[in-house]
Amino acid sequence: MFISFEGLDGCGKTTQINLLAEKLASLAYDVVFIREPGGTAISERIREILLDTKHEGMNQITELLLFSAARAQLVNEVIKPALANSQVVLSDRYVDSTTAYQGYGRGLRLGAVKTINTVATLGVMPHLTFIIDLPLDELARRKMRTGTAADRMERSGRAFYEDVRQGYLAMAQAEPERFTVIDGCQEVETIRQQIWNTVSNHIPRR
Ligand code: TYD
């Protein structure tokens, strides 16, 4: 089973993935955790290029292809073998990030993005995808509190992030069987329960 988590930077998805991973492990599921971009030696190198603030001049097509290149390696090296081995793959971002950020955010043609996504994933798609949705004001408040430095993507500005957010919501509406949109303003425990309700309804019994 393959489950991905999506949402804007700082939405709380990493906390929720960790909670879900603990729960699954306690039930003796064999869990593989990955984050995108990254997850293999080659993909981590590509991640450094993508997030480096020195690379301000990165062309948008270059950006699209690099995220996709990192993903192709991850699918072949990690995701496909894990799924073939009946492991549960939990992914902090996957192909929907490319549709949301490069497609809706950067404004690249959605048809072209879709074609490249299919090439990069070999058609391997998550069974379930959670979008943790948060208004931009709340994200900005959280960012001020944590005070972490912005990477190259995070320097993209508010209008970009608003487009990414709306993109995610449009994608969820178009494919309601796979996506679950979660209100990220709720308590961590409430969100954890909502995610578990959906996962426990879909995951094969052990
Ligand atoms: P990361 O530090 O992993 O962010 P987060 O903790 O929010 O997941 O950085 C990944 C950044 O790359 C994030 O800003 C989202 C962006 N991204 C894309 O633009 N396209 C993609 O296909 C992926 C996977 C990520």
Side-chain angles (χ1 to χ4, degrees):
M1 171 133 195
F2 181 9
I3 305 171
S4 63
F5 287 77
E6 298 283 349
L8 299 184
D9 320 57
C11 68
K13 57 189 163 44
T14 312
T15 305
Q16 292 298 332
I17 295 172
N18 289 335
L19 290 169
L20 179 59
E22 270 173 32
K23 175 76 179 175
L24 289 170
S26 77
L27 296 172
Y29 285 96
D30 189 359
V31 178
V32 174
F33 168 76
I34 52 182
R35 68 155 184 188
E36 275 225 49
T40 73
I42 293 171
S43 312
E44 290 290 337
R45 295 281 295 274
I46 299 174
R47 176 187 176 90
E48 285 169 24
I49 299 174
L50 277 163
L51 299 185
D52 193 333
T53 49
K54 287 201 291 288
H55 296 162
E56 252 176 21
M58 187 179 293
N59 176 268
Q60 298 183 352
I61 303 285
T62 311
E63 181 181 291
L64 168 68
L65 294 173
L66 283 174
F67 277 115
S68 304
R71 180 166 308 123
Q73 191 65 31
L74 183 68
V75 171
N76 271 290
E77 215 177 297
V78 180
I79 300 179
K80 276 185 78 178
L83 293 176
N85 218 0
S86 304
Q87 290 170 299
V88 181
V89 177
L90 300 184
S91 185
D92 191 340
R93 301 190 177 282
Y94 189 57
V95 67
D96 301 308
S97 282
T98 300
T99 309
Y101 282 73
Q102 281 64 55
Y104 287 95
R106 298 287 191 227
L108 296 177
R109 266 196 311 118
L110 291 177
V113 172
K114 193 171 178 184
T115 303
I116 288 170
N117 283 345
T118 309
V119 173
T121 59
L122 305 165
V124 175
M125 289 298 285
H127 301 102
L128 293 176
T129 299
F130 293 98
I131 296 176
I132 305 197
D133 180 55
L134 268 185
L136 262 69
D137 286 340
E138 175 58 23
L139 280 170
R141 268 196 293 276
R142 291 186 185 189
K143 212 148 274 175
M144 289 234 294
R145 249 180 277 143
T146 56
T148 43
D151 61 37
R152 189 186 62 85
M153 292 302 297
E154 287 165 348
R155 291 184 175 188
S156 301
R158 190 182 169 101
F160 170 79
Y161 277 102
E162 198 52 73
D163 289 343
V164 175
R165 180 181 184 214
Q166 295 310 325
Y168 271 133
L169 297 177
M171 289 153 67
Q173 232 173 22
E175 221 186 311
E177 326 70 53
R178 177 163 68 89
F179 286 105
T180 305
V181 180
I182 305 261
D183 174 0
C185 292
Q186 303 173 101
E187 295 290 327
V188 169
E189 173 57 19
T190 311
I191 297 176
R192 187 196 66 76
Q193 280 173 16
Q194 287 175 353
I195 291 172
W196 181 245
N197 282 345
T198 304
V199 171
S200 58
N201 278 332
H202 288 83
I203 199 160
R205 295 269 163 262
R206 292 216 35 103

